[in-house]
Amino acid sequence: MPIQMSGRGRKNPNGHIEKFFEDSDLEYTIEQQSDTRYTVTYTFEDIDSAPGITGIFYPTNWLYSMTFTMGDEPGGLVNARVQRIPSINSVPDPDDSTPVFYDRYRVTLTIDSNSDQRSLTLGAPTPQIWNQNADFYFNSLEINQGIALAGSGNIEGTAARDFLQGGNGNDTIDGKGGNDYLLGGAGGNDALIGGDGDDELNGFGTVASTVSQFDTLIGGTGRDEFILGGVWGVSYVEPGDGYAVIQDWTPGEDRIRVEDVPDGAYSLEFKSVSGIGSSARDTEIYFTDASGSRDRIAIVKDTVNVSVERDFDRVTSRSTDPNDIIRIDGTTGNDTLVGTDWNDQLNGFGYSDSTSPQFDILTGGGGSDVFVLGGSSYVAYVEEGDGYAVITDWTPGEDRIQVKEAVSGESYSLEFKSVSGIGSAAQDTEIYFTNASGNRDRIGIVRDTTNVSLVRDFISVEVF
């Protein structure tokens, strides 16, 4: 099965790591479901000890995200399911005779010839700061009980702790029992139902959106948290009047999570909103940014017993420490990424091969920034067509460019000329990759400068 998988995990205390592997490295089984649909099931140990992605022995390397990408076969991914299964005694650390027990997971992918979804990511949003925790780790699933599931339509959990993730359409996600994390897709109007337990409900998704979303959040019993922002920014500030409706609110017990935005402010208004609940007054939640632009991001139905000071948890997604590295990731589309005043790592391409050209704009800002043009198993922007990244601000000797290590027959090269439509009339630096077959692709342009050096400025990521 030509499916590429990549995993993201936290290797305490050394930040976050990412490993890629092909399914040929793992044993799998295939089960036909219908004329057009089948499932593929893999079993592997935690990210740092599985065949094909072996690294240093760290039992505390917690997996929080998996990305699956189809190869050349027709069809697409319908859903992905991860379940934690009993650990086994793995190979001991070579410097320590003590056996190490690693988490094991069973991954089941459903593939349908009628689907055109070529890639699917299951898991928590990627932390922007190297030492920041993710919202959810797969090793918090109860063994053989809880599930992590990404799909579309009606999604149901179990009585245990689950991570349930919708698609880009209108989804209904029911956590049932357990302390669940429910995540709507980046688009569509979703209904999230926590059920029993202390649940986290995020209808908006984990990437900024340009489409208005109208989501319904029902916590159920327990101490629930309604998520209106995070590392992706403030939710529901896209064009239009999208918002979340919190249907059930327990004052002093439930919480509202927002992004802590410098020079931004959250405020409340109390009135009966037409079409929302009964004639009782509701609580409207507004966010005002530094420019004075004001957006309604949520409505708490049929209650005015909401307090910003008492009920809001603020998440800091931007570092205040200049020694931290902030991750800023794009999508498989055309992205514009803008860094901070600190040390940023900007990756507009993503973390797996793509079949469509991408044209990304990367602006590092202050600090020592890393512009990602490749990883351990891929070169970015070598898909069909002339996709590339434009680096708009370059500080020679301070900023760096990350690429996949050039193996036998491969090479990187630079050309200096003024590229039409890129910056001023000054010369730019074009970055080219040549593969072992001699095919040459432009993967990046550093705007308005020729002060770029392969020896001084490039960081090569070792191929696993």
Side-chain angles (χ1 to χ4, degrees):
M1 292 300 304
I3 297 175
Q4 185 188 67
M5 290 179 276
S6 63
R8 288 191 164 280
R10 178 179 172 114
K11 182 189 293 183
N12 294 339
N14 298 321
H16 303 269
I17 66 167
E18 173 188 24
K19 299 287 185 179
F20 294 81
F21 57 99
E22 301 292 339
D23 61 4
S24 58
D25 297 318
L26 304 173
E27 294 184 359
Y28 59 85
T29 60
I30 299 177
E31 182 178 348
Q32 195 75 32
Q33 302 291 317
S34 69
D35 290 341
T36 63
R37 181 169 295 196
Y38 59 93
T39 60
V40 187
T41 300
Y42 308 86
T43 301
F44 60 89
E45 297 175 32
D46 203 350
I47 182 174
D48 213 28
S49 59
I53 52 173
T54 301
I56 304 171
F57 289 87
Y58 276 90
T60 54
N61 179 20
W62 298 338
L63 185 67
Y64 60 81
S65 177
M66 289 287 291
T67 296
F68 311 96
T69 303
M70 292 287 292
D72 298 329
E73 285 200 359
L77 295 159
V78 176
N79 61 54
R81 174 183 170 125
V82 174
Q83 187 171 32
R84 188 167 168 232
I85 58 178
S87 301
I88 61 172
N89 183 3
S90 188
V91 181
D93 187 320
D95 298 324
D96 186 350
S97 60
T98 304
V100 177
F101 291 85
Y102 289 97
D103 285 317
R104 299 174 72 225
Y105 298 97
R106 179 179 296 117
V107 174
T108 302
L109 305 178
T110 302
I111 298 168
D112 197 300
S113 59
N114 295 322
S115 173
D116 60 1
Q117 181 164 297
R118 306 297 292 176
S119 181
L120 190 153
T121 296
L122 171 60
T126 301
Q128 289 186 335
I129 304 172
W130 74 276
N131 60 356
Q132 187 180 49
N133 284 318
D135 284 350
F136 187 94
Y137 292 95
F138 291 149
N139 69 359
S140 70
L141 298 172
E142 296 180 34
I143 294 176
N144 284 338
Q145 297 183 48
I147 59 172
L149 176 65
S152 297
N154 295 324
I155 302 171
E156 291 190 353
T158 69
R161 178 163 169 75
D162 304 312
F163 181 103
L164 306 177
Q165 178 177 337
N168 292 332
N170 301 332
D171 303 310
T172 298
I173 305 175
D174 189 347
K176 301 295 184 182
N179 301 332
D180 305 314
Y181 190 109
L182 310 184
L183 177 62
N189 304 326
D190 303 317
L192 276 56
I193 306 165
D196 296 337
D198 302 337
D199 304 308
E200 298 169 86
L201 294 86
N202 178 357
F204 182 81
T206 59
V207 295
S209 173
T210 59
V211 179
S212 294
Q213 300 183 49
F214 300 90
D215 299 318
T216 301
L217 310 181
I218 305 172
T221 60
R223 183 183 183 277
D224 302 310
E225 185 150 26
F226 303 96
I227 299 173
L228 302 179
V231 299
W232 58 92
V234 179
S235 302
Y236 305 102
V237 294
E238 69 288 337
D241 187 29
Y243 51 81
V245 175
I246 299 172
Q247 294 271 20
D248 61 335
W249 175 255
T250 305
E253 182 172 335
D254 291 339
R255 309 291 298 170
I256 294 171
R257 185 190 307 172
V258 296
E259 186 194 19
D260 189 11
V261 181
D263 301 321
Y266 296 91
S267 59
L268 308 178
E269 289 190 7
F270 308 109
K271 65 181 180 183
S272 181
V273 182
S274 177
I276 304 295
S278 69
S279 60
R281 287 197 298 170
D282 309 297
T283 299
E284 295 181 303
I285 303 174
Y286 286 86
F287 171 74
T288 303
D289 66 17
S291 69
S293 178
R294 189 167 183 258
D295 284 276
R296 178 171 61 177
I297 61 174
I299 301 171
V300 186
K301 189 183 81 172
D302 288 348
T303 183
V304 296
N305 196 346
V306 182
S307 166
V308 171
E309 292 75 20
R310 180 193 67 196
D311 301 321
F312 280 41
D313 294 329
R314 297 174 183 265
V315 177
T316 300
S317 63
R318 297 294 183 180
S319 176
T320 57
D321 184 346
N323 294 315
D324 282 342
I325 297 175
I326 301 173
R327 300 181 60 96
I328 303 176
D329 296 334
T331 68
T332 55
N334 301 331
D335 303 307
T336 298
L337 306 185
V338 180
T340 69
D341 291 334
W342 310 124
N343 304 328
D344 305 310
Q345 178 178 295
L346 293 89
N347 182 349
F349 182 80
Y351 296 93
S352 60
D353 291 332
S354 172
T355 58
S356 301
Q358 297 183 45
F359 300 89
D360 299 320
I361 299 174
L362 311 180
T363 302
S368 299
D369 302 313
V370 176
F371 302 96
V372 178
L373 301 183
S376 58
S377 69
Y378 72 101
V379 178
Y381 306 102
V382 294
E383 68 289 334
E384 295 181 5
D386 186 27
Y388 51 81
V390 176
I391 300 170
T392 67
D393 62 334
W394 175 255
T395 305
E398 184 172 331
D399 293 338
R400 294 289 185 268
I401 294 170
Q402 176 184 305
V403 295
K404 182 185 81 73
E405 178 187 30
V407 296
S408 178
E410 298 176 343
S411 65
Y412 295 92
S413 59
L414 307 178
E415 289 191 6
F416 308 109
K417 66 180 180 182
S418 181
V419 182
S420 176
I422 305 295
S424 68
Q427 283 192 310
D428 309 297
T429 300
E430 295 181 303
I431 304 171
Y432 287 87
F433 170 75
T434 303
N435 66 17
S437 301
N439 297 320
R440 190 168 182 258
D441 283 277
R442 177 171 60 176
I443 62 174
I445 301 173
V446 187
R447 191 178 74 181
D448 290 347
T449 183
T450 59
N451 195 347
V452 182
S453 166
L454 291 172
V455 176
R456 179 193 65 195
D457 302 320
F458 276 52
I459 302 170
S460 294
V461 179
E462 182 180 359
V463 176
F464 294 102

